[in-house]
Amino acid sequence: MKKVLLTIGIIIFLVGAFMFYNKLYLPSLPIENISKKTVIEKINDSETRMVKLSNENGQEWYVIKERDTSVADEMIKEMLNQNGWTFKQKDGNGLFFERHGESLIVSTQMWTGNYVLVKIPINFNE
């Protein structure tokens, strides 16, 4: 009986360690070509609070290490302003910008309590 309980305990520990190491306890990502573990490693290894994650389906994905979405919004506004975009309004999770008669919509999404995911059309810096 003790061997069975010990074996079950070891299995539970190994499964838990695997889940923790691979960040399987985190919510799913809307980005297909990157793992949760990679996202956490990229932001934790960076000296900045905003890190580019990937390009996917005509979108650039970023992650911001920030609990307050209004602070994350200000970081996005500053980045886009440097590329000539003027902030017009926020509606829900969308930030609307204009430049030379063109419109651009940036979407944000809280991912866990510590990170904001940002989706920007890939042509924003052209």
Side-chain angles (χ1 to χ4, degrees):
M1 183 67 168
K2 286 185 179 181
K3 284 186 178 183
V4 171
L5 289 175
L6 181 61
T7 303
I8 291 172
I10 290 171
I11 290 171
I12 290 171
F13 173 78
L14 291 174
V15 168
F18 176 80
M19 290 180 68
F20 181 78
Y21 177 77
N22 289 297
K23 310 297 184 208
L24 298 178
Y25 57 90
L26 293 172
S28 62
L29 285 167
I31 312 166
E32 294 177 16
N33 62 2
I34 194 166
S35 72
K36 296 180 249 187
K37 180 181 177 214
T38 303
V39 170
I40 297 298
E41 287 173 348
K42 280 188 170 201
I43 193 71
N44 287 339
D45 292 345
S46 175
E47 293 181 13
T48 63
R49 292 187 355 213
M50 183 172 187
V51 175
K52 182 177 178 181
L53 296 174
S54 72
N55 291 342
E56 184 176 286
N57 300 324
Q59 305 290 322
E60 287 190 8
W61 285 93
Y62 293 81
V63 64
I64 299 175
K65 189 172 190 172
E66 180 57 57
R67 290 176 178 249
D68 185 349
T69 54
S70 62
V71 173
D73 290 349
E74 291 305 315
M75 293 172 71
I76 295 164
K77 291 176 192 176
E78 184 179 319
M79 181 179 79
L80 287 167
N81 189 290
Q82 292 173 359
N83 285 282
W85 292 96
T86 303
F87 175 73
K88 291 298 177 187
Q89 70 178 28
K90 179 175 180 170
D91 187 6
N93 70 337
L95 287 92
F96 295 79
F97 296 85
E98 286 184 1
R99 177 179 75 180
H100 308 300
E102 293 180 71
S103 295
L104 180 82
I105 303 172
V106 175
S107 300
T108 61
Q109 172 184 339
M110 280 302 292
W111 183 66
T112 79
N114 299 316
Y115 306 99
V116 177
L117 295 173
V118 182
K119 180 173 71 169
I120 305 174
I122 204 162
N123 62 347
F124 83 93
N125 57 3
E126 293 177 350

